[in-house]
Amino acid sequence: MSLSTQVNAEGKESNETYTRHADDTVKLRNTNIADMDRDILYHIALDSGIQNLPQMFGDVRFVCLGGTPKRMEKFANYIMKEIDLKLPTGATLLNISQRSYRYAMYKVGPVLCLSHGMGMPSIGILLHELFKLMYHAKCKDPVFFRLGTCGGVGIEGGNLVISQKVVDGYMQPFLDMAVLGQLHRRPAILDQELSEELSDLRMKEDPFTITQGTTMCTYDFYEGQGRLDGAFCEFTEGDKLTFLNHLHDNHIVNMEMESLTFAALCHHAGIRGAVVCVTLLNRLHGDQVAESKEVLEKWQKYPQILISRYIKKHLNIKPN
Amino acid sequence: MSLSTQVNAEGKESNETYTRHADDTVKLRNTNIADMDRDILYHIALDSGIQNLPQMFGDVRFVCLGGTPKRMEKFANYIMKEIDLKLPTGATLLNISQRSYRYAMYKVGPVLCLSHGMGMPSIGILLHELFKLMYHAKCKDPVFFRLGTCGGVGIEGGNLVISQKVVDGYMQPFLDMAVLGQLHRRPAILDQELSEELSDLRMKEDPFTITQGTTMCTYDFYEGQGRLDGAFCEFTEGDKLTFLNHLHDNHIVNMEMESLTFAALCHHAGIRGAVVCVTLLNRLHGDQVAESKEVLEKWQKYPQILISRYIKKHLNIKPN
């Protein structure tokens, strides 16, 4: 805890000395890794002792994470068209982490697309291994995005939320972890410039609004988000609405299950990160995700559209 | 919190009045569900308003959960052979939850096989929806198993651990949750009779030992389990070994990432549950999962062998 507090107090410049080499490649806050002959990235099925990771991944600049393998495979194919990258005849995108059976990973030129599963522990394992991958591959100043789904608080389904702050289920802006049996607290801080830049990429004709605000990140989908429709429910509808209105009054605009770990680990690693989620419903009006598969599929493309614009801008590709 | 504490103090008989109807079918600790015309089990792609859940799932007696879709597909095919269930010519097992892209579900007669993903939130969402499925389908007294992988503490790779108790990263036998912004604590209690019965199913010629003991369940795989090989590490090898030896001295025999939620939610639902994990390494000797794919695949069958014996015994099928 001493280190993260210290860095936090000293500000960005000091954070960079811990997380960047002079040539802008990623430096790890763990000197053990440099001493290992071989680092097995078990959950993404890569191995620094067997594979030439700098050759395979050295050009990665954008890392895009989303919940399900299918959504991220679709995103990979979408971004391939958007950045006009063509595979040789007879080739197709490969799920690079297929052998792990845990996460799916697709690489489209400088864009890495991965599924992170559900919940903070699942995205946490992935981030540890991706930060190590960035280090082994000598990637320069990569930027990370979570493209997610969420429940809106006062926002109707089918709109985007860009997280400015993230809080836990007790409204604290920290990731609390047990390390060697002791409480370890990391601030969950997202890159404000990046959030602003993403927000500015909205176009007048977009079918969605964009709200910047605070995200509540929980460990549970049912009781943890005040739903009445879980297997257990020991509060009333009145209790629930009091809670949701309290969140609304405190500028909490959505709820999901991964952003706290994403923000805390990216910040600690000195990696720029942003969270862009589409709302699947307005929690002030209900609990069940009841839209048709077709509508949900359409909405889940909205974060992809925005992130694609960002990537194209930074690759100097003209917008459509 | 009042309800769970109350039930816990009153013991098993009282728990049953909350969790079982007179005919042994599952009763939910949530009266809202009975009032809903339609319950969408979003993450497993089932819908009580469209599907006839009692007809589809009413015969389920054994619910088997494991981390990855592939492992659980293999288990489904294995148990199909073991209980001598034959599909009609030209038929194959279907992933019932395929449309969710989140969990995989296979049904083999009275055995339901599902992947739960990684971490407590992921298995938690699934358990809420499975308990509701048991309720809608009118299943009678189902028994739940987690067939997992883990790190051994003083146990070499390729052996089984049956959890008697589960503790969190601070060695507390509770699941702490935020519900409507307040701390909510549920005791993580596993069925001791079931654990004993499973342990007795070991045969002399088995290539694995079985240890009954306490499991530590964490929210993180790297720092949370005292590993030196994460993207971050702010403790020494000496600190790590002091921690692991302290666990060992307190009869903690393995570490994994789902059992605390499994134990707490099953207990609260009045559903018998057991956790059987195979060790992939002995954490007293290292951090990396370095065995070959072939060895790991072989080991991951060990929990399946034991659970299959249990299921066959209770279906009155002779052992092989």
mmCIF file of all heavy atoms in Angstrom, chain A residues 29-30 32 39-40 99 121 128-129 132 186 222-223 228-231 233-234 268 288 293, chain B residues 29-30 32 39-40 99 128-129 132 186 219 222-223 228-231 233-234 268 288 293:
data_model
loop_
_atom_site.group_PDB
_atom_site.id
_atom_site.type_symbol
_atom_site.label_atom_id
_atom_site.label_comp_id
_atom_site.label_asym_id
_atom_site.label_seq_id
_atom_site.Cartn_x
_atom_site.Cartn_y
_atom_site.Cartn_z
ATOM 1 N N ARG A 29 5.629 -2.804 -12.413
ATOM 2 C CA ARG A 29 5.895 -2.608 -10.985
ATOM 3 C C ARG A 29 6.168 -3.964 -10.336
ATOM 4 O O ARG A 29 5.536 -4.327 -9.336
ATOM 5 C CB ARG A 29 4.668 -1.999 -10.309
ATOM 6 C CG ARG A 29 4.400 -0.553 -10.635
ATOM 7 C CD ARG A 29 3.140 -0.139 -9.926
ATOM 8 N NE ARG A 29 2.773 1.237 -10.197
ATOM 9 C CZ ARG A 29 3.271 2.294 -9.534
ATOM 10 N NH1 ARG A 29 4.149 2.118 -8.572
ATOM 11 N NH2 ARG A 29 2.871 3.499 -9.840
ATOM 12 N N ASN A 30 7.043 -4.754 -10.970
ATOM 13 C CA ASN A 30 7.410 -6.060 -10.425
ATOM 14 C C ASN A 30 8.720 -6.489 -11.075
ATOM 15 O O ASN A 30 8.729 -6.965 -12.214
ATOM 16 C CB ASN A 30 6.312 -7.092 -10.716
ATOM 17 C CG ASN A 30 6.636 -8.457 -10.136
ATOM 18 O OD1 ASN A 30 7.695 -8.624 -9.496
ATOM 19 N ND2 ASN A 30 5.768 -9.429 -10.350
ATOM 20 N N ASN A 32 10.487 -8.982 -10.430
ATOM 21 C CA ASN A 32 10.660 -10.441 -10.559
ATOM 22 C C ASN A 32 10.546 -10.903 -12.008
ATOM 23 O O ASN A 32 11.187 -11.875 -12.408
ATOM 24 C CB ASN A 32 9.604 -11.199 -9.746
ATOM 25 C CG ASN A 32 9.679 -10.912 -8.261
ATOM 26 O OD1 ASN A 32 10.766 -10.845 -7.694
ATOM 27 N ND2 ASN A 32 8.531 -10.729 -7.623
ATOM 28 N N ASP A 39 7.924 -16.760 -18.844
ATOM 29 C CA ASP A 39 6.729 -16.312 -18.124
ATOM 30 C C ASP A 39 5.516 -16.896 -18.844
ATOM 31 O O ASP A 39 5.246 -16.553 -20.002
ATOM 32 C CB ASP A 39 6.670 -14.774 -18.104
ATOM 33 C CG ASP A 39 5.494 -14.242 -17.284
ATOM 34 O OD1 ASP A 39 4.888 -15.044 -16.525
ATOM 35 O OD2 ASP A 39 5.180 -13.044 -17.397
ATOM 36 N N ILE A 40 4.815 -17.782 -18.158
ATOM 37 C CA ILE A 40 3.633 -18.418 -18.755
ATOM 38 C C ILE A 40 2.417 -17.564 -18.425
ATOM 39 O O ILE A 40 2.059 -17.415 -17.255
ATOM 40 C CB ILE A 40 3.443 -19.842 -18.207
ATOM 41 C CG1 ILE A 40 4.676 -20.700 -18.512
ATOM 42 C CG2 ILE A 40 2.181 -20.491 -18.810
ATOM 43 C CD1 ILE A 40 4.694 -22.029 -17.785
ATOM 44 N N ARG A 99 -6.621 -21.969 -26.834
ATOM 45 C CA ARG A 99 -6.164 -23.114 -26.037
ATOM 46 C C ARG A 99 -6.421 -22.921 -24.541
ATOM 47 O O ARG A 99 -6.380 -23.880 -23.772
ATOM 48 C CB ARG A 99 -4.677 -23.345 -26.265
ATOM 49 C CG ARG A 99 -4.376 -24.267 -27.447
ATOM 50 C CD ARG A 99 -2.893 -24.223 -27.781
ATOM 51 N NE ARG A 99 -2.075 -24.420 -26.601
ATOM 52 C CZ ARG A 99 -1.491 -25.578 -26.268
ATOM 53 N NH1 ARG A 99 -1.628 -26.636 -27.030
ATOM 54 N NH2 ARG A 99 -0.752 -25.677 -25.181
ATOM 55 N N PRO A 121 -12.956 -10.085 -10.588
ATOM 56 C CA PRO A 121 -11.845 -11.034 -10.585
ATOM 57 C C PRO A 121 -11.466 -11.493 -11.999
ATOM 58 O O PRO A 121 -10.291 -11.616 -12.328
ATOM 59 C CB PRO A 121 -12.380 -12.203 -9.748
ATOM 60 C CG PRO A 121 -13.384 -11.567 -8.833
ATOM 61 C CD PRO A 121 -14.040 -10.520 -9.679
ATOM 62 N N HIS A 128 -3.711 -8.346 -15.406
ATOM 63 C CA HIS A 128 -2.351 -8.719 -14.996
ATOM 64 C C HIS A 128 -1.588 -9.326 -16.180
ATOM 65 O O HIS A 128 -0.447 -8.969 -16.451
ATOM 66 C CB HIS A 128 -2.392 -9.719 -13.836
ATOM 67 C CG HIS A 128 -2.396 -9.074 -12.475
ATOM 68 N ND1 HIS A 128 -1.243 -8.697 -11.839
ATOM 69 C CD2 HIS A 128 -3.408 -8.738 -11.652
ATOM 70 C CE1 HIS A 128 -1.546 -8.154 -10.660
ATOM 71 N NE2 HIS A 128 -2.854 -8.163 -10.519
ATOM 72 N N GLU A 129 -2.240 -10.246 -16.879
ATOM 73 C CA GLU A 129 -1.531 -10.939 -17.959
ATOM 74 C C GLU A 129 -1.340 -10.036 -19.178
ATOM 75 O O GLU A 129 -0.328 -10.130 -19.876
ATOM 76 C CB GLU A 129 -2.248 -12.268 -18.281
ATOM 77 C CG GLU A 129 -2.216 -13.170 -17.042
ATOM 78 C CD GLU A 129 -2.693 -14.605 -17.226
ATOM 79 O OE1 GLU A 129 -2.963 -15.031 -18.356
ATOM 80 O OE2 GLU A 129 -2.777 -15.318 -16.193
ATOM 81 N N LYS A 132 1.554 -7.695 -18.470
ATOM 82 C CA LYS A 132 2.803 -8.439 -18.678
ATOM 83 C C LYS A 132 3.069 -8.646 -20.165
ATOM 84 O O LYS A 132 4.215 -8.564 -20.617
ATOM 85 C CB LYS A 132 2.763 -9.768 -17.928
ATOM 86 C CG LYS A 132 2.746 -9.593 -16.405
ATOM 87 C CD LYS A 132 3.240 -10.819 -15.666
ATOM 88 C CE LYS A 132 2.276 -11.981 -15.755
ATOM 89 N NZ LYS A 132 2.841 -13.180 -15.093
ATOM 90 N N ARG A 186 -6.422 0.445 -3.480
ATOM 91 C CA ARG A 186 -5.896 1.163 -4.647
ATOM 92 C C ARG A 186 -6.933 2.145 -5.159
ATOM 93 O O ARG A 186 -8.082 1.768 -5.381
ATOM 94 C CB ARG A 186 -5.579 0.181 -5.786
ATOM 95 C CG ARG A 186 -4.435 -0.735 -5.479
ATOM 96 C CD ARG A 186 -3.465 -0.855 -6.648
ATOM 97 N NE ARG A 186 -2.304 -1.594 -6.204
ATOM 98 C CZ ARG A 186 -2.111 -2.889 -6.436
ATOM 99 N NH1 ARG A 186 -2.979 -3.577 -7.142
ATOM 100 N NH2 ARG A 186 -1.032 -3.477 -5.983
ATOM 101 N N TYR A 222 -27.509 -9.161 -8.823
ATOM 102 C CA TYR A 222 -28.878 -9.139 -8.275
ATOM 103 C C TYR A 222 -28.944 -8.316 -6.990
ATOM 104 O O TYR A 222 -29.227 -7.123 -7.016
ATOM 105 C CB TYR A 222 -29.396 -10.573 -8.113
ATOM 106 C CG TYR A 222 -29.715 -11.195 -9.457
ATOM 107 C CD1 TYR A 222 -28.826 -12.039 -10.102
ATOM 108 C CD2 TYR A 222 -30.894 -10.879 -10.120
ATOM 109 C CE1 TYR A 222 -29.107 -12.569 -11.355
ATOM 110 C CE2 TYR A 222 -31.191 -11.393 -11.374
ATOM 111 C CZ TYR A 222 -30.304 -12.244 -11.982
ATOM 112 O OH TYR A 222 -30.582 -12.743 -13.222
ATOM 113 N N GLU A 223 -28.674 -8.931 -5.858
ATOM 114 C CA GLU A 223 -28.753 -8.188 -4.595
ATOM 115 C C GLU A 223 -27.789 -7.003 -4.574
ATOM 116 O O GLU A 223 -28.106 -5.935 -4.056
ATOM 117 C CB GLU A 223 -28.448 -9.127 -3.432
ATOM 118 C CG GLU A 223 -29.438 -10.272 -3.331
ATOM 119 C CD GLU A 223 -28.990 -11.288 -2.297
ATOM 120 O OE1 GLU A 223 -28.111 -12.109 -2.635
ATOM 121 O OE2 GLU A 223 -29.501 -11.246 -1.167
ATOM 122 N N LEU A 228 -34.830 -6.703 -7.466
ATOM 123 C CA LEU A 228 -35.876 -7.437 -6.734
ATOM 124 C C LEU A 228 -36.046 -8.852 -7.271
ATOM 125 O O LEU A 228 -36.818 -9.635 -6.717
ATOM 126 C CB LEU A 228 -37.217 -6.697 -6.870
ATOM 127 C CG LEU A 228 -37.264 -5.271 -6.313
ATOM 128 C CD1 LEU A 228 -38.505 -4.547 -6.823
ATOM 129 C CD2 LEU A 228 -37.252 -5.293 -4.789
ATOM 130 N N ASP A 229 -35.359 -9.198 -8.384
ATOM 131 C CA ASP A 229 -35.656 -10.440 -9.100
ATOM 132 C C ASP A 229 -34.560 -11.489 -9.033
ATOM 133 O O ASP A 229 -34.450 -12.345 -9.916
ATOM 134 C CB ASP A 229 -36.010 -10.122 -10.565
ATOM 135 C CG ASP A 229 -34.831 -9.482 -11.310
ATOM 136 O OD1 ASP A 229 -33.895 -8.993 -10.633
ATOM 137 O OD2 ASP A 229 -34.835 -9.498 -12.547
ATOM 138 N N GLY A 230 -33.728 -11.462 -7.994
ATOM 139 C CA GLY A 230 -32.744 -12.528 -7.803
ATOM 140 C C GLY A 230 -33.365 -13.716 -7.097
ATOM 141 O O GLY A 230 -34.555 -13.718 -6.763
ATOM 142 N N ALA A 231 -32.558 -14.741 -6.846
ATOM 143 C CA ALA A 231 -33.041 -15.904 -6.092
ATOM 144 C C ALA A 231 -33.340 -15.508 -4.651
ATOM 145 O O ALA A 231 -34.164 -16.129 -3.978
ATOM 146 C CB ALA A 231 -32.012 -17.027 -6.131
ATOM 147 N N CYS A 233 -34.130 -12.008 -2.073
ATOM 148 C CA CYS A 233 -34.363 -10.570 -1.975
ATOM 149 C C CYS A 233 -34.930 -10.286 -0.598
ATOM 150 O O CYS A 233 -36.000 -10.775 -0.240
ATOM 151 C CB CYS A 233 -35.319 -10.083 -3.061
ATOM 152 S SG CYS A 233 -35.577 -8.306 -2.961
ATOM 153 N N GLU A 234 -34.189 -9.541 0.190
ATOM 154 C CA GLU A 234 -34.568 -9.309 1.575
ATOM 155 C C GLU A 234 -34.839 -7.827 1.835
ATOM 156 O O GLU A 234 -34.731 -7.345 2.952
ATOM 157 C CB GLU A 234 -33.501 -9.891 2.510
ATOM 158 C CG GLU A 234 -33.460 -11.422 2.380
ATOM 159 C CD GLU A 234 -32.200 -12.085 2.915
ATOM 160 O OE1 GLU A 234 -31.417 -11.421 3.612
ATOM 161 O OE2 GLU A 234 -32.012 -13.280 2.621
ATOM 162 N N HIS A 268 -2.697 2.059 -11.647
ATOM 163 C CA HIS A 268 -1.489 1.605 -10.956
ATOM 164 C C HIS A 268 -0.384 1.249 -11.965
ATOM 165 O O HIS A 268 0.800 1.404 -11.673
ATOM 166 C CB HIS A 268 -1.824 0.402 -10.080
ATOM 167 C CG HIS A 268 -0.805 0.126 -9.019
ATOM 168 N ND1 HIS A 268 -0.405 1.066 -8.097
ATOM 169 C CD2 HIS A 268 -0.089 -0.988 -8.730
ATOM 170 C CE1 HIS A 268 0.508 0.548 -7.286
ATOM 171 N NE2 HIS A 268 0.720 -0.700 -7.665
ATOM 172 N N GLN A 288 -35.369 -6.307 -15.019
ATOM 173 C CA GLN A 288 -35.108 -7.356 -16.009
ATOM 174 C C GLN A 288 -34.592 -6.770 -17.326
ATOM 175 O O GLN A 288 -35.029 -5.691 -17.750
ATOM 176 C CB GLN A 288 -36.396 -8.158 -16.259
ATOM 177 C CG GLN A 288 -36.835 -8.960 -15.030
ATOM 178 C CD GLN A 288 -36.953 -10.447 -15.329
ATOM 179 O OE1 GLN A 288 -37.556 -10.860 -16.311
ATOM 180 N NE2 GLN A 288 -36.357 -11.259 -14.464
ATOM 181 N N LYS A 293 -33.407 -9.760 -28.483
ATOM 182 C CA LYS A 293 -32.020 -10.054 -28.862
ATOM 183 C C LYS A 293 -31.535 -9.066 -29.935
ATOM 184 O O LYS A 293 -30.396 -8.595 -29.884
ATOM 185 C CB LYS A 293 -31.976 -11.492 -29.406
ATOM 186 C CG LYS A 293 -30.595 -12.087 -29.529
ATOM 187 C CD LYS A 293 -30.090 -12.636 -28.213
ATOM 188 C CE LYS A 293 -28.592 -12.925 -28.284
ATOM 189 N NZ LYS A 293 -28.004 -12.991 -26.940
ATOM 190 N N ARG B 29 -36.169 -17.766 -1.412
ATOM 191 C CA ARG B 29 -36.240 -16.710 -0.392
ATOM 192 C C ARG B 29 -36.521 -15.371 -1.082
ATOM 193 O O ARG B 29 -35.809 -14.386 -0.860
ATOM 194 C CB ARG B 29 -34.898 -16.602 0.328
ATOM 195 C CG ARG B 29 -34.589 -17.739 1.274
ATOM 196 C CD ARG B 29 -33.204 -17.483 1.862
ATOM 197 N NE ARG B 29 -32.785 -18.529 2.758
ATOM 198 C CZ ARG B 29 -33.101 -18.577 4.055
ATOM 199 N NH1 ARG B 29 -33.864 -17.634 4.584
ATOM 200 N NH2 ARG B 29 -32.662 -19.558 4.805
ATOM 201 N N ASN B 30 -37.493 -15.363 -1.960
ATOM 202 C CA ASN B 30 -37.873 -14.131 -2.656
ATOM 203 C C ASN B 30 -39.276 -14.313 -3.218
ATOM 204 O O ASN B 30 -39.465 -14.936 -4.271
ATOM 205 C CB ASN B 30 -36.884 -13.820 -3.790
ATOM 206 C CG ASN B 30 -37.233 -12.537 -4.510
ATOM 207 O OD1 ASN B 30 -38.208 -11.856 -4.153
ATOM 208 N ND2 ASN B 30 -36.458 -12.192 -5.527
ATOM 209 N N ASN B 32 -41.119 -12.199 -4.627
ATOM 210 C CA ASN B 32 -41.399 -11.429 -5.853
ATOM 211 C C ASN B 32 -41.506 -12.322 -7.087
ATOM 212 O O ASN B 32 -42.263 -12.030 -8.015
ATOM 213 C CB ASN B 32 -40.292 -10.398 -6.130
ATOM 214 C CG ASN B 32 -40.151 -9.371 -5.019
ATOM 215 O OD1 ASN B 32 -41.151 -8.900 -4.491
ATOM 216 N ND2 ASN B 32 -38.927 -9.048 -4.649
ATOM 217 N N ASP B 39 -40.154 -14.557 -16.085
ATOM 218 C CA ASP B 39 -38.848 -14.329 -15.468
ATOM 219 C C ASP B 39 -37.783 -14.639 -16.519
ATOM 220 O O ASP B 39 -37.636 -15.787 -16.947
ATOM 221 C CB ASP B 39 -38.679 -15.232 -14.233
ATOM 222 C CG ASP B 39 -37.386 -14.950 -13.475
ATOM 223 O OD1 ASP B 39 -36.746 -13.907 -13.746
ATOM 224 O OD2 ASP B 39 -37.014 -15.778 -12.612
ATOM 225 N N ILE B 40 -37.057 -13.602 -16.923
ATOM 226 C CA ILE B 40 -36.003 -13.790 -17.924
ATOM 227 C C ILE B 40 -34.697 -14.106 -17.203
ATOM 228 O O ILE B 40 -34.181 -13.276 -16.457
ATOM 229 C CB ILE B 40 -35.833 -12.520 -18.787
ATOM 230 C CG1 ILE B 40 -37.158 -12.191 -19.492
ATOM 231 C CG2 ILE B 40 -34.707 -12.712 -19.802
ATOM 232 C CD1 ILE B 40 -37.164 -10.818 -20.134
ATOM 233 N N ARG B 99 -27.120 -18.874 -26.782
ATOM 234 C CA ARG B 99 -27.538 -17.539 -27.186
ATOM 235 C C ARG B 99 -27.099 -16.452 -26.203
ATOM 236 O O ARG B 99 -27.118 -15.272 -26.534
ATOM 237 C CB ARG B 99 -29.071 -17.492 -27.330
ATOM 238 C CG ARG B 99 -29.574 -17.863 -28.711
ATOM 239 C CD ARG B 99 -31.079 -18.046 -28.705
ATOM 240 N NE ARG B 99 -31.759 -16.937 -28.043
ATOM 241 C CZ ARG B 99 -32.367 -15.921 -28.686
ATOM 242 N NH1 ARG B 99 -32.387 -15.896 -29.995
ATOM 243 N NH2 ARG B 99 -32.956 -14.952 -28.022
ATOM 244 N N HIS B 128 -27.657 -17.512 -8.804
ATOM 245 C CA HIS B 128 -28.977 -16.868 -8.696
ATOM 246 C C HIS B 128 -29.918 -17.409 -9.778
ATOM 247 O O HIS B 128 -31.061 -17.766 -9.498
ATOM 248 C CB HIS B 128 -28.851 -15.341 -8.833
ATOM 249 C CG HIS B 128 -28.631 -14.631 -7.527
ATOM 250 N ND1 HIS B 128 -29.667 -14.281 -6.698
ATOM 251 C CD2 HIS B 128 -27.506 -14.230 -6.903
ATOM 252 C CE1 HIS B 128 -29.186 -13.668 -5.618
ATOM 253 N NE2 HIS B 128 -27.872 -13.623 -5.721
ATOM 254 N N GLU B 129 -29.423 -17.477 -11.003
ATOM 255 C CA GLU B 129 -30.303 -17.889 -12.102
ATOM 256 C C GLU B 129 -30.591 -19.389 -12.057
ATOM 257 O O GLU B 129 -31.694 -19.831 -12.403
ATOM 258 C CB GLU B 129 -29.724 -17.416 -13.446
ATOM 259 C CG GLU B 129 -29.650 -15.881 -13.447
ATOM 260 C CD GLU B 129 -29.304 -15.216 -14.783
ATOM 261 O OE1 GLU B 129 -29.226 -15.907 -15.814
ATOM 262 O OE2 GLU B 129 -29.130 -13.975 -14.768
ATOM 263 N N LYS B 132 -33.221 -20.022 -9.385
ATOM 264 C CA LYS B 132 -34.526 -19.666 -9.935
ATOM 265 C C LYS B 132 -34.988 -20.717 -10.945
ATOM 266 O O LYS B 132 -36.179 -21.063 -10.990
ATOM 267 C CB LYS B 132 -34.475 -18.273 -10.585
ATOM 268 C CG LYS B 132 -34.252 -17.162 -9.564
ATOM 269 C CD LYS B 132 -34.731 -15.798 -10.068
ATOM 270 C CE LYS B 132 -33.877 -15.246 -11.173
ATOM 271 N NZ LYS B 132 -34.426 -13.976 -11.694
ATOM 272 N N ARG B 186 -22.899 -13.259 4.838
ATOM 273 C CA ARG B 186 -23.516 -14.586 4.804
ATOM 274 C C ARG B 186 -22.488 -15.647 5.167
ATOM 275 O O ARG B 186 -21.402 -15.678 4.596
ATOM 276 C CB ARG B 186 -24.019 -14.904 3.382
ATOM 277 C CG ARG B 186 -25.174 -14.042 2.928
ATOM 278 C CD ARG B 186 -26.311 -14.866 2.350
ATOM 279 N NE ARG B 186 -27.450 -13.982 2.151
ATOM 280 C CZ ARG B 186 -27.753 -13.391 0.987
ATOM 281 N NH1 ARG B 186 -27.011 -13.620 -0.083
ATOM 282 N NH2 ARG B 186 -28.800 -12.610 0.899
ATOM 283 N N TYR B 219 -10.332 -12.948 -4.396
ATOM 284 C CA TYR B 219 -10.853 -12.141 -5.512
ATOM 285 C C TYR B 219 -9.802 -11.912 -6.592
ATOM 286 O O TYR B 219 -10.090 -11.312 -7.613
ATOM 287 C CB TYR B 219 -11.367 -10.793 -4.992
ATOM 288 C CG TYR B 219 -12.696 -10.889 -4.277
ATOM 289 C CD1 TYR B 219 -12.773 -10.889 -2.893
ATOM 290 C CD2 TYR B 219 -13.880 -11.010 -5.003
ATOM 291 C CE1 TYR B 219 -13.999 -10.990 -2.238
ATOM 292 C CE2 TYR B 219 -15.106 -11.116 -4.371
ATOM 293 C CZ TYR B 219 -15.160 -11.104 -2.995
ATOM 294 O OH TYR B 219 -16.379 -11.210 -2.360
ATOM 295 N N TYR B 222 -3.308 -13.267 -8.671
ATOM 296 C CA TYR B 222 -1.892 -12.932 -8.522
ATOM 297 C C TYR B 222 -1.600 -12.388 -7.124
ATOM 298 O O TYR B 222 -1.250 -13.139 -6.212
ATOM 299 C CB TYR B 222 -1.455 -11.978 -9.643
ATOM 300 C CG TYR B 222 -1.352 -12.725 -10.963
ATOM 301 C CD1 TYR B 222 -2.376 -12.689 -11.907
ATOM 302 C CD2 TYR B 222 -0.242 -13.515 -11.243
ATOM 303 C CE1 TYR B 222 -2.288 -13.403 -13.100
ATOM 304 C CE2 TYR B 222 -0.140 -14.233 -12.428
ATOM 305 C CZ TYR B 222 -1.164 -14.171 -13.348
ATOM 306 O OH TYR B 222 -1.078 -14.892 -14.508
ATOM 307 N N GLU B 223 -1.775 -11.097 -6.917
ATOM 308 C CA GLU B 223 -1.468 -10.523 -5.600
ATOM 309 C C GLU B 223 -2.352 -11.141 -4.512
ATOM 310 O O GLU B 223 -1.907 -11.374 -3.391
ATOM 311 C CB GLU B 223 -1.682 -9.010 -5.646
ATOM 312 C CG GLU B 223 -0.763 -8.300 -6.626
ATOM 313 C CD GLU B 223 -1.154 -6.847 -6.796
ATOM 314 O OE1 GLU B 223 -2.129 -6.576 -7.529
ATOM 315 O OE2 GLU B 223 -0.507 -5.997 -6.170
ATOM 316 N N LEU B 228 4.276 -14.106 -6.846
ATOM 317 C CA LEU B 228 5.356 -13.155 -7.146
ATOM 318 C C LEU B 228 5.365 -12.757 -8.614
ATOM 319 O O LEU B 228 6.141 -11.898 -9.018
ATOM 320 C CB LEU B 228 6.715 -13.791 -6.799
ATOM 321 C CG LEU B 228 6.922 -14.181 -5.336
ATOM 322 C CD1 LEU B 228 8.141 -15.094 -5.202
ATOM 323 C CD2 LEU B 228 7.102 -12.937 -4.468
ATOM 324 N N ASP B 229 4.510 -13.397 -9.448
ATOM 325 C CA ASP B 229 4.644 -13.271 -10.905
ATOM 326 C C ASP B 229 3.490 -12.516 -11.569
ATOM 327 O O ASP B 229 3.215 -12.724 -12.754
ATOM 328 C CB ASP B 229 4.811 -14.652 -11.534
ATOM 329 C CG ASP B 229 3.599 -15.550 -11.303
ATOM 330 O OD1 ASP B 229 2.784 -15.238 -10.396
ATOM 331 O OD2 ASP B 229 3.442 -16.553 -12.021
ATOM 332 N N GLY B 230 2.804 -11.644 -10.838
ATOM 333 C CA GLY B 230 1.780 -10.799 -11.452
ATOM 334 C C GLY B 230 2.403 -9.565 -12.093
ATOM 335 O O GLY B 230 3.624 -9.380 -12.066
ATOM 336 N N ALA B 231 1.570 -8.719 -12.663
ATOM 337 C CA ALA B 231 2.076 -7.463 -13.230
ATOM 338 C C ALA B 231 2.585 -6.543 -12.124
ATOM 339 O O ALA B 231 3.446 -5.696 -12.348
ATOM 340 C CB ALA B 231 0.970 -6.765 -14.022
ATOM 341 N N CYS B 233 3.917 -6.579 -7.909
ATOM 342 C CA CYS B 233 4.257 -7.366 -6.722
ATOM 343 C C CYS B 233 5.000 -6.451 -5.773
ATOM 344 O O CYS B 233 6.074 -5.949 -6.103
ATOM 345 C CB CYS B 233 5.098 -8.587 -7.081
ATOM 346 S SG CYS B 233 5.480 -9.573 -5.627
ATOM 347 N N GLU B 234 4.414 -6.225 -4.608
ATOM 348 C CA GLU B 234 4.985 -5.265 -3.660
ATOM 349 C C GLU B 234 5.372 -5.943 -2.355
ATOM 350 O O GLU B 234 5.434 -5.319 -1.304
ATOM 351 C CB GLU B 234 3.995 -4.100 -3.456
ATOM 352 C CG GLU B 234 3.843 -3.304 -4.755
ATOM 353 C CD GLU B 234 2.621 -2.394 -4.833
ATOM 354 O OE1 GLU B 234 1.971 -2.171 -3.802
ATOM 355 O OE2 GLU B 234 2.325 -1.919 -5.949
ATOM 356 N N HIS B 268 -27.504 -20.551 1.878
ATOM 357 C CA HIS B 268 -28.640 -19.646 2.068
ATOM 358 C C HIS B 268 -29.881 -20.169 1.340
ATOM 359 O O HIS B 268 -31.011 -19.957 1.787
ATOM 360 C CB HIS B 268 -28.267 -18.250 1.566
ATOM 361 C CG HIS B 268 -29.165 -17.163 2.081
ATOM 362 N ND1 HIS B 268 -29.361 -16.933 3.421
ATOM 363 C CD2 HIS B 268 -29.931 -16.241 1.447
ATOM 364 C CE1 HIS B 268 -30.211 -15.921 3.592
ATOM 365 N NE2 HIS B 268 -30.576 -15.490 2.399
ATOM 366 N N GLN B 288 3.871 -20.444 -10.973
ATOM 367 C CA GLN B 288 3.412 -20.611 -12.349
ATOM 368 C C GLN B 288 2.776 -21.995 -12.565
ATOM 369 O O GLN B 288 3.229 -22.994 -11.995
ATOM 370 C CB GLN B 288 4.599 -20.433 -13.308
ATOM 371 C CG GLN B 288 5.151 -19.000 -13.302
ATOM 372 C CD GLN B 288 5.118 -18.369 -14.681
ATOM 373 O OE1 GLN B 288 5.566 -18.959 -15.655
ATOM 374 N NE2 GLN B 288 4.571 -17.167 -14.769
ATOM 375 N N LYS B 293 -0.019 -29.133 -21.295
ATOM 376 C CA LYS B 293 -1.457 -29.180 -21.576
ATOM 377 C C LYS B 293 -1.997 -30.596 -21.334
ATOM 378 O O LYS B 293 -3.089 -30.770 -20.770
ATOM 379 C CB LYS B 293 -1.664 -28.771 -23.048
ATOM 380 C CG LYS B 293 -3.088 -28.420 -23.409
ATOM 381 C CD LYS B 293 -3.442 -27.010 -23.008
ATOM 382 C CE LYS B 293 -4.930 -26.763 -23.105
ATOM 383 N NZ LYS B 293 -5.367 -25.643 -22.281
#
